[in-house]
Amino acid sequence: METPSRSSVIIVGAGVSGIAAAKILAEKGVEDIVILEATDRIGGRMHKEAFGGVTVELGAGWIVGVGGKVPNPIWELAAKSSLRTCPSDFSNARYNIYDRSGRIFPGELATDSYRKAVGSAIEKLRKWGGTDGGGGGGGGGGGGGGGGGGGGGGDFSGAAEPPSSPKTPLELAIDFMLHDYEMAEAQPRSTYLDYGEQEYLVADEKGYEDLVHQMAQDFLSFTSVGKILDNRLQFNKVVREIRHSRSGITITTEDGCIYDASYAILSVSIGVLQSDLISFQPSMPRWKMEAIEKLDVTVYTKIYLKFPYKFWPCGPKKEFFIYAHERRGYYTFWQQMENAYPGSNILLVSRETHLIKMIVLFISWHVISKWRMHTLVPIFLL
Ligand SMILES: Cc1cc2nc3c(=O)[nH]c(=O)nc-3n(C[C@H](O)[C@H](O)[C@H](O)COP(=O)(O)OP(=O)(O)OC[C@H]3O[C@@H](n4cnc5c(N)ncnc54)[C@H](O)[C@@H]3O)c2cc1C
């Protein structure tokens, strides 16, 4: 066990927020900082991986909010590190809905169902959520939908009859798309409002995480081959206990090291804060604990599939497509990576759930069974 000298600030976590905080401190002349990172890398949930001859993103993949009046700082960082990106447009997904046997639903049918679902959602908000529907009808292009937030949970018991619930695979898929994605966040979303409605997919061998490396290079020492060599950044340091008092902060890591500082910045995820990985002595105030517990974070699973050939339609407005299954939310969202990596024959399917641990799967042609290939191919028999 060793006790390093006291520093001004300890930053827990070397993801984009931890490194950004450290950079700002360094720019303001606060040089005696220590960054404690649990893993052996910086970037956190920005994490690239080689797969099928290209680089795919395990975590963040999109730069969201571009083209507006206010410049998006992430977009600026991407420009600074010459990150290759390509425009990405989810709004066409609703016209590319496939059934279980591989047939695409006719555009008019999908549009009609979508319009009905938006109407029903607005009706629900009017009936149950308060006097007006929270403004904004869905429908329009770009980021989508309408009423915000649910109006503080209106009284459902008094409603004369509940609006009809979705039943068919098409209705279920649209319901999922609308409620779990487009309307899931309070509108208007400040990201779109401030930075614009365009979205770009990062498609660069360097990975999204290169932004974090660029930032780190501004204040940390690197070797000539790009390895970080700076004792202000300590890897494999899992913070387990934070003691705080008027006289300062004492942090203990899993390997028994103790760090003292005047201040600490905690940049770990909400998921970590909701677990009991880090104990606070004394514990955080009740109002803060409650706020952390109330933040609902979904588990977002990305599954990349590589095939020996392309059997899906490509071209304009075909980037995203929807699978309509009898079970709501069952592998609903698909994306073909042709825009990002032409010729890669890679599909991405994502799943959001509250129940399972985050996994990112890579399934290459070598491991995917013929049975699975045959199950997927029919989805695209047009
Ligand atoms: C699958 C997925 C897809 C996403 N897609 C997008 C997207 O397309 N666009 C977008 O903008 N955002 C996306 N996000 C969100 C984005 O990745 C995060 O908002 C962002 O990376 C968070 O950065 P952060 O620095 O705040 O946290 P993190 O990146 O989580 O960094 C926290 C760091 O703290 C470290 N840490 C945790 N616990 C401890 C401990 N006890 N002791 C020491 N260190 C610890 C972690 O190892 C990590 O390095 C996605 C996230 C995921 C998981």
Side-chain angles (χ1 to χ4, degrees):
M1 187 181 294
E2 57 179 291
T3 309
S5 59
R6 186 185 174 100
S7 46
S8 289
V9 184
I10 292 173
I11 294 164
V12 182
V16 64
S17 54
I19 293 296
K23 179 178 180 292
I24 290 169
L25 286 172
E27 283 167 359
K28 302 283 179 199
V30 184
E31 292 284 350
D32 60 331
I33 56 169
V34 173
I35 306 167
L36 300 175
E37 166 56 43
T39 68
D40 60 359
R41 55 176 288 278
I42 64 171
R45 282 174 283 167
M46 289 175 161
H47 197 168
K48 68 173 179 182
E49 185 71 50
F51 171 67
V54 300
T55 298
V56 294
E57 299 291 343
L58 308 191
W62 284 268
I63 301 174
V64 179
V66 179
K69 281 176 272 172
V70 183
N72 182 335
I74 295 288
W75 184 244
E76 290 186 318
L77 285 171
K80 197 175 157 199
S81 74
S82 311
L83 214 58
R84 185 177 158 255
T85 59
C86 57
S88 187
D89 183 5
F90 180 75
S91 64
N92 290 302
R94 71 181 78 146
Y95 307 110
N96 303 322
I97 307 180
Y98 292 84
D99 72 9
R100 197 174 188 160
S101 66
R103 277 186 297 266
I104 190 166
F105 286 95
E108 318 81 67
L109 183 62
T111 309
D112 194 44
S113 295
Y114 186 85
R115 204 179 298 124
K116 276 188 190 142
V118 171
S120 156
I122 292 171
E123 189 60 21
K124 270 186 213 172
L125 283 172
R126 284 222 180 88
K127 262 189 185 163
W128 292 348
T131 45
D132 75 310
D155 179 11
F156 287 60
S157 58
E161 62 175 287
S164 64
S165 52
K167 289 183 188 67
T168 67
L170 177 63
E171 288 167 355
L172 288 166
I174 288 173
D175 186 75
F176 182 71
M177 194 164 54
L178 207 55
H179 291 98
D180 292 43
Y181 277 77
E182 296 182 9
M183 287 178 162
E185 288 186 65
Q187 303 288 337
R189 281 175 69 180
S190 59
T191 305
Y192 291 130
L193 212 57
D194 297 340
Y195 301 135
E197 296 208 341
Q198 294 167 26
E199 298 187 1
Y200 284 80
L201 188 67
V202 174
D204 196 302
E205 297 293 302
K206 300 192 292 278
Y208 210 151
E209 65 185 61
D210 190 60
L211 306 189
V212 187
H213 285 267
Q214 292 292 331
M215 263 197 282
Q217 276 172 20
D218 287 346
F219 68 100
L220 292 175
S221 308
F222 279 69
T223 65
S224 55
V225 289
K227 282 197 77 159
I228 300 168
L229 194 67
D230 196 311
N231 58 15
R232 288 173 294 169
L233 174 59
Q234 310 235 340
F235 287 124
N236 302 310
K237 295 292 179 189
V238 181
V239 169
R240 296 307 302 263
E241 187 188 76
I242 300 180
R243 289 187 171 271
H244 55 105
S245 67
R246 282 178 193 278
S247 59
I249 310 278
T250 301
I251 288 183
T252 309
T253 52
E254 203 158 66
D255 57 3
C257 289
I258 296 172
Y259 300 82
D260 288 325
S262 306
Y263 301 95
I265 295 175
L266 204 51
S267 76
V268 302
S269 66
I270 286 291
V272 170
L273 291 176
Q274 286 174 344
S275 76
D276 57 3
L277 183 72
I278 303 174
S279 90
F280 292 87
Q281 305 293 339
S283 61
M284 283 191 275
R286 197 176 167 77
W287 63 265
K288 198 171 276 188
M289 299 294 287
E290 277 178 11
I292 289 168
E293 273 156 27
K294 276 182 187 161
L295 273 169
D296 199 9
V297 191
T298 48
V299 177
Y300 179 32
T301 309
K302 292 169 96 171
I303 303 171
Y304 291 94
L305 301 136
K306 183 172 173 70
F307 294 92
Y309 58 89
K310 229 180 332 288
F311 52 87
W312 49 88
C314 291
K317 303 184 176 180
K318 296 285 180 196
E319 183 184 0
F320 290 92
F321 52 93
I322 303 290
Y323 172 45
H325 189 265
E326 293 82 24
R327 204 192 313 167
R328 187 182 182 279
Y330 186 77
Y331 299 100
T332 308
F333 288 111
W334 293 76
Q335 182 187 9
Q336 47 112 345
M337 304 301 283
E338 204 53 26
N339 294 355
Y341 294 111
S344 63
N345 301 340
I346 291 177
L347 292 179
L348 167 63
V349 56
S350 60
R351 248 198 120 181
E352 291 201 17
T353 163
H354 294 260
L355 298 175
I356 56 167
K357 263 183 89 186
M358 191 198 103
I359 50 163
V360 181
L361 279 181
F362 305 103
I363 304 177
S364 79
W365 169 241
H366 303 290
V367 295
I368 198 165
S369 70
K370 274 195 172 159
W371 178 83
R372 279 171 189 264
M373 181 75 174
H374 288 306
T375 327
L376 279 165
V377 172
I379 297 179
F380 293 95
L381 291 180
L382 300 172

